[in-house]
Amino acid sequence: MDRLNDASAGSGTTTGKTTGTTTGSVYIRMPFTLTDPLALSFLNLKVQCDDGFIAYLNGTEVARRFLPGGTITAQTPAEPHAHGTFETFDLTPVESLLVTGRNVLAIELHLASTSDADAYFDADLLYTRQPGSPTDADHDGIPDPWETAHGLDPGDPSDALIDANGDG
């Protein structure tokens, strides 16, 4: 299992503390880099927060806790919740949102009220790679070794059209 938290992958863990916020919300962006998102076998987000949050992966909502459903604004209060233990969210069903290169996990952290004296958020984005999974750098559905062996360009997604019988 790997953790997206080193300098090459971007920050997978962040904490924040604020006092006297006028809106009751804090926004956090955690960029990270993947060389081959198709090789992932699972993706989990572990979160500890005070009070509520919405997580977005490359702009799409993927997790929400202690906030009402539907549209929210910066002023929407969260349900009171003190941090203490990590909660795990399985993001494997939405790992197709990941791209080769730069990805962003964005967090919208909400407090229970504007008089709340602190905000806390800690997260780990965890993944594992499928054993022996071939890379597909251009995301055309054809593994790079097959493209190379058959004279195609592993960096050109349009060459998938050349594989008319779909055996790549």
Side-chain angles (χ1 to χ4, degrees):
M1 182 176 348
D2 294 303
R3 183 173 157 184
L4 297 172
N5 71 341
D6 61 31
S8 65
S11 175
T13 302
T14 188
T15 60
K17 182 171 175 125
T18 185
T19 56
T21 178
T22 58
T23 63
S25 56
V26 176
Y27 298 87
I28 304 164
R29 293 174 54 85
M30 296 176 287
F32 60 95
T33 302
L34 290 174
T35 56
D36 187 10
L38 295 179
L40 301 183
S41 62
F42 87 83
L43 183 66
N44 281 346
L45 175 64
K46 288 178 60 178
V47 173
Q48 207 183 151
C49 72
D50 178 355
D51 288 302
F53 78 95
I54 299 177
Y56 301 89
L57 188 57
N58 292 331
T60 300
E61 182 179 329
V62 295
R64 181 185 293 224
R65 196 74 168 116
F66 304 112
L67 282 165
T71 303
I72 63 168
T73 68
Q75 291 78 27
T76 303
E79 298 171 27
H81 170 75
H83 69 279
T85 59
F86 279 96
E87 184 173 359
T88 300
F89 296 85
D90 180 10
L91 301 186
T92 304
V94 296
E95 69 183 22
S96 62
L97 296 172
L98 296 170
V99 297
T100 299
R102 186 175 189 268
N103 293 270
V104 176
L105 176 64
I107 303 298
E108 185 173 346
L109 180 65
H110 286 253
L111 303 177
S113 74
T114 56
S115 62
D116 197 342
D118 68 337
Y120 180 87
F121 185 83
D122 189 359
D124 288 320
L125 191 56
L126 305 166
Y127 69 97
T128 57
R129 293 189 173 278
Q130 297 174 8
S133 58
T135 59
D136 181 14
D138 57 9
H139 300 285
D140 61 1
I142 305 172
D144 292 348
W146 191 95
E147 288 192 69
T148 301
H150 291 85
L152 301 177
D153 179 0
D156 179 9
S158 68
D159 62 11
L161 301 173
I162 299 170
D163 183 30
N165 67 358
D167 67 348

